[in-house]
Amino acid sequence: MQTHLFAQDDDMWYVITDGPMKILKVNTAIAILGGKPQMVEKPRAEWSTKDKKKANLDNVAKDILYNTLDKNMFSKIKTCSTAKEIWEKLTQLCEGNDQTKENKLTVAIQKFENAKMKAGETVAEFDERFSNIVCELISLVKIYTNREIALKVMRALPKE
């Protein structure tokens, strides 16, 4: 049973990344000598229960994606017709294109370089704020060594 679940998960991910599944069958009208048989779309009347489940995976994937979004995000993807379109739109909205990612990285690096403990800020508050900056950098694939982070923290603390 577990194998079946993993296969369905793989099919679900395929639908999200590559689009709705096409239900195919071997084209018996064309004989292929020594090669792969030609595949053609299977008529709905010939679909098995398994074929119907695979064909419906796009609807299941869309439903899962819809149920994870708040009203604001849903309004941005509601015109998408496939799970793949939804996924691509969400990726664009949340991650941005390469230029957007580069801009986010530049801003995060500037936050790191300019980090200073503010007047009246406790060490715990500064630590939380600085940790958020480091986490943001990690999410943008910019990693500092522990030594670099420790030196930055030391420079960011007030002289007192």
Side-chain angles (χ1 to χ4, degrees):
M1 186 65 175
Q2 286 295 340
T3 306
H4 174 68
L5 289 175
F6 290 129
Q8 188 172 357
D9 289 346
D10 289 344
D11 288 344
M12 182 73 69
W13 188 243
Y14 173 87
V15 165
I16 291 171
T17 58
D18 296 345
M21 289 197 158
K22 290 186 168 112
I23 309 302
L24 304 174
K25 70 174 187 172
V26 175
N27 185 354
T28 54
I30 298 177
I32 304 292
L33 298 175
K36 276 187 152 182
Q38 183 183 15
M39 303 300 284
V40 294
E41 203 159 329
K42 187 189 271 189
R44 277 186 192 260
E46 296 177 17
W47 284 7
S48 67
T49 303
K50 186 176 178 182
D51 292 337
K52 290 174 186 174
K53 285 182 180 179
K54 280 191 173 194
N56 193 47
L57 277 178
D58 188 62
N59 291 327
V60 173
K62 287 191 303 187
D63 189 55
I64 290 168
L65 292 169
Y66 290 155
N67 287 320
T68 62
L69 301 174
D70 62 23
K71 287 179 184 178
N72 182 42
M73 284 301 259
F74 178 78
S75 69
K76 294 175 182 178
I77 57 92
K78 67 182 176 187
T79 59
C80 297
S81 60
T82 66
K84 179 182 180 189
E85 287 177 29
I86 294 169
W87 186 255
E88 289 171 349
K89 182 79 168 186
L90 289 171
T91 301
Q92 179 66 34
L93 289 168
C94 296
E95 293 181 9
N97 59 25
D98 289 340
Q99 183 63 46
T100 303
K101 290 176 188 176
E102 188 64 34
N103 291 342
K104 287 179 180 180
L105 179 59
T106 300
V107 169
I109 290 170
Q110 288 174 343
K111 284 185 203 174
F112 179 85
E113 291 172 356
N114 297 330
K116 295 273 187 216
M117 191 167 169
K118 297 175 183 175
E121 186 175 38
T122 67
V123 173
E125 290 167 339
F126 171 72
D127 179 58
E128 183 177 345
R129 187 168 56 84
F130 188 75
S131 293
N132 288 337
I133 294 169
V134 172
C135 287
E136 182 180 359
L137 286 163
I138 291 169
S139 75
L140 295 166
V141 196
K142 174 66 175 165
I143 311 293
Y144 288 98
T145 65
N146 287 340
R147 184 175 189 275
E148 291 170 314
I149 292 171
L151 287 171
K152 179 59 194 163
V153 169
M154 295 304 289
R155 288 191 305 268
L157 296 173
K159 292 184 185 194
E160 312 75 60

